[in-house]
Amino acid sequence: LRMTPAIGAPARPSAVRGRAASVSVRAAVDPTIAYAVAQQDLFFAAVVAGECAYQQGNLPADFKGRPEFKDIALPCGILVASFLAIQTDNGVVTPGGLILGAAGCVLAGKMFLDRFDAIEDDGMDWPGPRVFPGTGILFALFALLANVEALPRIMGGV
């Protein structure tokens, strides 16, 4: 679209002539980063619940370090709430969802660490029953880092 000056109006200075105004439009939250982290939180909650259900069927009820559904309810609930908050694509609620997700990852990681410490290693069985909570600790760390690293990106810092 080219506009010409009205009759009798002064012409634009030559330095400005021919340049388009640069306008950038940004979303409040970068959806690709936020959705990726939201999916990771939801998947991590599913992994925690699935591992608990699997171990309920494989380990005896009196086994030290056996996961209980009452122990995973809070971390899984927080991770699902984090998923829902991040999906709002709101400049205030989405960062809160990432903080909530980080808190859920810390709780899940603590639960896995407590289970790892409770299991007695007999040294004869490798990788043994500690492999599930040990892997859970790593998953919790990775999900925590995803939430924490996404926070400055969606806040516009990086």
Side-chain angles (χ1 to χ4, degrees), residues 48-101:
V48 171
E51 190 266 340
C52 181
Y54 175 76
Q55 294 293 5
Q56 287 285 318
N58 287 340
L59 297 175
D62 61 343
F63 188 82
K64 287 184 179 181
R66 179 178 187 237
E68 298 292 332
F69 286 113
K70 64 177 177 58
D71 296 334
I72 68 160
L74 183 61
C76 287
I78 289 175
L79 288 166
V80 170
S82 154
F83 171 79
L84 296 173
I86 293 170
Q87 293 294 321
T88 63
D89 198 24
N90 181 294
V92 175
V93 178
T94 298
L98 290 172
I99 294 169
L100 200 60

Side-chain angles (χ1 to χ4, degrees), residues 37 98 102 143-153:
V37 175
L98 290 172
L144 172 68
L145 290 175
N147 281 283
V148 171
E149 289 177 358
L151 197 56
R153 288 186 177 197

Side-chain angles (χ1 to χ4, degrees), residues 119-147:
I119 297 172
E120 295 178 12
D121 187 19
D122 64 1
M124 299 299 290
D125 188 16
W126 190 90
R130 284 183 163 183
V131 71
F132 289 106
T135 304
I137 293 168
L138 289 176
F139 285 171
L141 176 65
F142 296 150
L144 172 68
L145 290 175
N147 281 283

